[in-house]
Amino acid sequence: MPEKQETLLRTRRLYQEAVFDTDRERALQVIREAVDQGVTPEEIVFDIVTPAIEHMVQSISDDYDANLAQHFMAAEIASEVTAEMIGRFRARPAAAGRVVFGTAEGDLHSLGKRIVIGCLKTLMLDVTDLGVNVPPEQFVDAAVARDAHVIGISAMMSHTARGENGCMGVRRLLRERRLEDRIRIVVGGAPYRFDSDLYRRVGADAWAPDGITAGNVIVRLVKEMKQ
Amino acid sequence: MITGMDRLKAALSGETLDRVPVFCNLIDQGARELGLPMREYFSKGEYVAEAQLKMREKYGHDNLWSLFYVGREAELFGSRCIRYSEYGSPNVEDFVIKGLDDIARLEVPRDVATHPLLEEPMKCLRILKKESGGNYPICAYFSSTMTLPSILMGMERWFELLFIGPTNVRDELLRKCHEFFIQEVKAYRENGADIILYSNPFGSLQTVPPRFFKEESLKWIERDIAAIGPSGVVYYCGTSRMDNVIVTVLERTNIQVFYLSPMDDIAIAKRILAGRGLTCGTINDLRLIDSAPGEIREEVRRIMREGTPGGHFLFGTGVMPLGIPETNIRAMLQAAFEYGSCSRSSS
């Protein structure tokens, strides 16, 4: 095996282990050492960080006990490394798609949003963070203004997930403004995890059980829309 | 007449009187029961107590709640804004810790028991105690030391501090939360609380990694429970699973009641506890909003079938969402009374 390939594989393994141990310092150290050994910023992102996120998605589906802290740290470390490496790319990469993301109106829980946005940035999506307590009009206006492919809505409470001013309100506006073929809606948060059909009843196109998986679900939707 | 307290005591000792105890956590429903807007409802201890007593009488479950809303704990630390909704629980809108520097300045309320903001909850407790005559266990909610920061600074910022931030700042905040926790439990116990719901999502391996649980979560769980004593304490991780920490928590704290997540496997939890404690099998109450009464009955039957063999079992709900129709609350409770009855359990 060529030396470079060996270095990449070793770095990927060490980086994944550090992320799984929620050890940010060790993960960053692994990346620094790889850079010192001649691994390029592009290789760090596309051959180490992105596969680590995808590996975590796979682990979550295989292992029910993957925990929230791991999701948080994986997204944090990945977005931190990606932001730093992109600045050193020879050419700025084109965004894989555009997403606007926020929590439903009345919902102030921002942890899930942060995890998802961290993943999306790593996966080269252009994300606009609309913050918390976002009314349906703001979601749709922002999506139109940024020509977004996907609106992401996080809701941690039953009434914000199901209410008229959450996803249902966004769906209504997309329909009224004839935007349904241009913009998809993805939802996530505890109420959807405890009722896996709920996303359909509130008019979403897809849902994700956790922040890390949400990144992949959104990437898939964006790809479908671009076809 | 057999009371809720009788049923609970029997279940704790592995016996079943007429039926399994049934805990139905109706909190925000009280406002509707009295026809009051949320903000007004939670302004008076008399209102909350009256609604709790009325709902218990109406539905026939076995417990009463002294909880107003979780954000009251943040208000005691100085949070100035609670966001009310007519469709769900009030939420903390103003986090008292906006930056790490605020942690050094954060003051633990000096005398929680006589704090003006606890006057109404304490009044509620005293009314419940007097009116129920000790016949129905009165539950009180407490954020554990490690959980309380999430409503003082928001879960996102707390995760950041907990897993990335300076450990000395994190530990200073935890020490302050611990000091508050002890005072708060003492105040509620002195005013009549029977059940101490120890809420701690950070005590679940669905929230934190195993190593963090062993090195950090468990340390604070032990301190919390050593300070208040395990009597009447119920271990609760919110909606997170706990099956893989039950043994450790039982052996290290002597807590004897475990309120499972709907995602936990009841049979496994019972096997782990093996009669050393009480298992509460919890229904996924978010599904009660849309399920048909027949489906609800089936789900209750499943829970009872898994939980009742060998006794030491309690049937419970999560924090029932306001959107659950009354017919479905009745369908669930009717099924719980029926499938949890002594004759059914032993047959």
Side-chain angles (χ1 to χ4, degrees):
Chain A
M1 190 184 289
E3 195 182 332
K4 185 66 170 286
Q5 193 62 19
E6 217 171 273
T7 305
L8 282 177
L9 285 175
R10 191 180 63 250
T11 305
R12 189 189 299 177
R13 179 176 52 77
L14 293 172
Y15 176 79
Q16 279 173 0
E17 284 172 6
V19 168
F20 263 70
D21 287 345
T22 67
D23 191 335
R24 175 174 165 270
E25 285 311 313
R26 182 150 53 94
L28 297 179
Q29 182 61 28
V30 167
I31 296 297
R32 277 193 291 270
E33 284 170 10
V35 170
D36 290 346
Q37 286 167 32
V39 178
T40 68
E42 286 85 350
E43 286 168 332
I44 294 282
V45 172
F46 297 119
D47 295 333
I48 296 167
V49 178
T50 307
I53 288 282
E54 283 160 0
H55 177 72
M56 182 158 261
V57 172
Q58 190 55 43
S59 299
I60 290 166
S61 62
D62 292 346
D63 172 14
Y64 191 71
D65 287 329
N67 57 71
L68 190 56
Q70 280 175 333
H71 298 188
F72 173 74
M73 290 302 286
E76 282 298 294
I77 298 165
S79 61
E80 188 178 339
V81 171
T82 303
E84 193 188 327
M85 292 297 137
I86 281 181
R88 300 193 211 169
F89 274 20
R90 275 169 295 182
R92 194 170 179 83
R98 287 172 298 281
V99 180
V100 295
F101 207 98
T103 73
E105 185 170 285
D107 206 306
L108 307 169
H109 299 84
S110 58
L111 178 63
K113 175 173 71 66
R114 178 157 167 175
I115 295 172
V116 178
I117 288 177
C119 286
L120 293 178
K121 285 182 173 169
T122 305
L123 297 169
M124 297 295 143
L125 277 102
D126 178 357
V127 194
T128 303
D129 184 354
L130 301 177
V132 296
N133 188 24
V134 181
E137 294 77 11
Q138 194 184 337
F139 273 115
V140 177
D141 291 347
V144 171
R146 289 161 179 80
D147 196 18
H149 301 91
V150 173
I151 294 174
I153 309 170
S154 170
M156 283 302 287
M157 298 183 290
S158 170
H159 68 283
T160 55
R162 307 172 65 102
E164 291 290 334
N165 291 329
C167 182
M168 290 211 291
V170 175
R171 171 57 67 198
R172 179 176 44 77
L173 288 177
L174 290 183
R175 192 177 305 125
E176 285 171 8
R177 297 186 197 178
R178 299 177 189 278
L179 293 166
E180 287 179 294
D181 57 341
R182 273 179 51 192
I183 302 169
R184 296 282 183 267
I185 308 174
V186 177
V187 291
Y192 301 103
R193 215 167 48 243
F194 282 89
D195 185 347
S196 56
D197 289 329
L198 180 57
Y199 83 98
R200 291 184 213 275
R201 293 198 294 275
V202 298
D205 295 295
W207 79 289
D210 57 76
I212 299 283
T213 312
N216 264 27
V217 169
I218 291 172
V219 167
R220 178 176 50 77
L221 272 184
V222 169
K223 279 182 184 163
E224 282 172 14
M225 295 193 65
K226 282 182 153 184
Q227 280 172 0
Chain B
M1 188 190 78
I2 298 172
T3 67
M5 190 63 95
D6 297 332
R7 292 186 186 102
L8 180 63
K9 283 180 178 167
L12 280 164
S13 59
E15 292 165 18
T16 307
L17 298 178
D18 57 338
R19 62 168 170 78
V20 164
V22 174
F23 275 28
C24 183
N25 304 324
L26 301 167
I27 311 291
D28 303 326
Q29 285 81 357
R32 287 201 185 151
E33 193 65 29
L34 300 191
L36 293 173
M38 284 287 178
R39 187 186 291 268
E40 190 182 347
Y41 173 66
F42 287 121
S43 69
K44 296 275 182 201
E46 291 94 327
Y47 294 155
V48 177
E50 181 188 350
Q52 282 294 319
L53 292 163
K54 272 189 171 176
M55 290 190 292
R56 206 224 58 77
E57 189 69 31
K58 176 167 143 183
Y59 294 116
H61 52 284
D62 290 318
N63 64 320
L64 293 163
W65 266 100
S66 64
L67 175 66
F68 280 38
Y69 47 85
V70 173
R72 182 59 63 113
E73 290 173 328
E75 288 183 296
L76 285 157
F77 273 91
S79 172
R80 289 180 185 155
C81 187
I82 294 292
R83 185 182 184 88
Y84 286 89
S85 162
E86 293 312 312
Y87 306 102
S89 303
N91 258 266
V92 179
E93 190 156 13
D94 167 46
F95 294 121
V96 289
I97 301 170
K98 295 177 175 67
L100 294 188
D101 291 346
D102 292 334
I103 291 171
R105 291 190 288 268
L106 187 74
E107 286 185 21
V108 179
R110 281 209 184 136
D111 191 351
V112 172
T114 58
H115 195 289
L117 279 167
L118 273 194
E119 200 175 304
E120 295 302 325
M122 292 303 117
K123 195 189 294 174
C124 167
L125 255 176
R126 289 191 292 272
I127 296 169
L128 289 176
K129 197 73 183 174
K130 180 168 174 267
E131 295 298 322
S132 72
N135 287 331
Y136 294 93
I138 301 169
C139 304
Y141 172 96
F142 301 91
S143 296
S144 73
T145 288
M146 198 168 266
T147 306
L148 186 53
S150 60
I151 57 168
L152 300 180
M153 63 194 303
M155 190 65 121
E156 180 184 345
R157 296 289 168 218
W158 177 224
F159 258 64
E160 202 176 277
L161 176 57
L162 201 53
F163 297 109
I164 308 174
T167 51
N168 59 329
V169 178
R170 176 195 74 185
D171 291 345
E172 184 181 4
L173 177 57
L174 287 168
R175 278 193 296 274
K176 289 182 177 183
C177 290
H178 179 62
E179 191 187 324
F180 173 81
F181 169 80
I182 297 168
Q183 281 198 65
E184 191 190 20
V185 172
K186 184 168 181 280
Y188 273 81
R189 271 188 174 146
E190 283 174 358
N191 283 275
D194 302 300
I195 305 283
I196 308 300
L197 191 82
Y198 180 69
S199 178
N200 191 11
F202 295 90
S204 162
L205 298 188
Q206 268 196 298
T207 307
V208 299
R211 198 174 75 187
F212 185 91
F213 175 81
K214 278 184 203 143
E215 292 173 4
E216 300 295 336
S217 300
L218 190 57
K219 179 173 73 187
W220 286 103
I221 292 167
E222 287 182 293
R223 285 180 189 169
D224 282 351
I225 305 307
I228 64 168
S231 175
V233 175
V234 175
Y235 193 73
Y236 172 69
C237 300
T239 52
S240 302
R241 285 170 52 193
M242 64 171 73
D243 53 359
N244 40 20
V245 301
I246 287 176
V247 169
T248 309
V249 173
L250 174 79
E251 290 174 354
R252 300 284 281 267
T253 68
N254 209 23
I255 289 178
Q256 294 191 339
V257 185
F258 293 84
Y259 209 103
L260 304 183
S261 156
M263 289 181 177
D264 272 306
D265 185 315
I266 295 168
I268 288 177
K270 286 208 69 178
R271 225 172 16 250
I272 291 168
L273 274 168
R276 292 179 291 172
L278 186 65
T279 305
C280 176
T282 311
I283 193 165
N284 178 353
D285 49 24
L286 280 159
R287 296 202 74 121
L288 297 181
I289 300 173
D290 298 306
S291 296
E295 293 169 320
I296 294 169
R297 279 183 67 79
E298 271 310 300
E299 179 58 5
V300 173
R301 188 159 81 143
R302 179 192 69 78
I303 292 170
M304 290 297 190
R305 199 169 48 223
E306 290 178 14
T308 51
H312 294 283
F313 188 66
L314 166 77
F315 175 91
T317 68
V319 182
M320 298 274 279
L322 259 181
I324 302 172
E326 196 172 314
T327 48
N328 285 2
I329 298 175
R330 288 189 187 281
M332 177 194 72
L333 288 171
Q334 188 51 47
F337 300 153
E338 196 179 316
Y339 292 121
S341 77
C342 204
S343 52
R344 285 267 191 172
S345 314
S346 56
S347 64

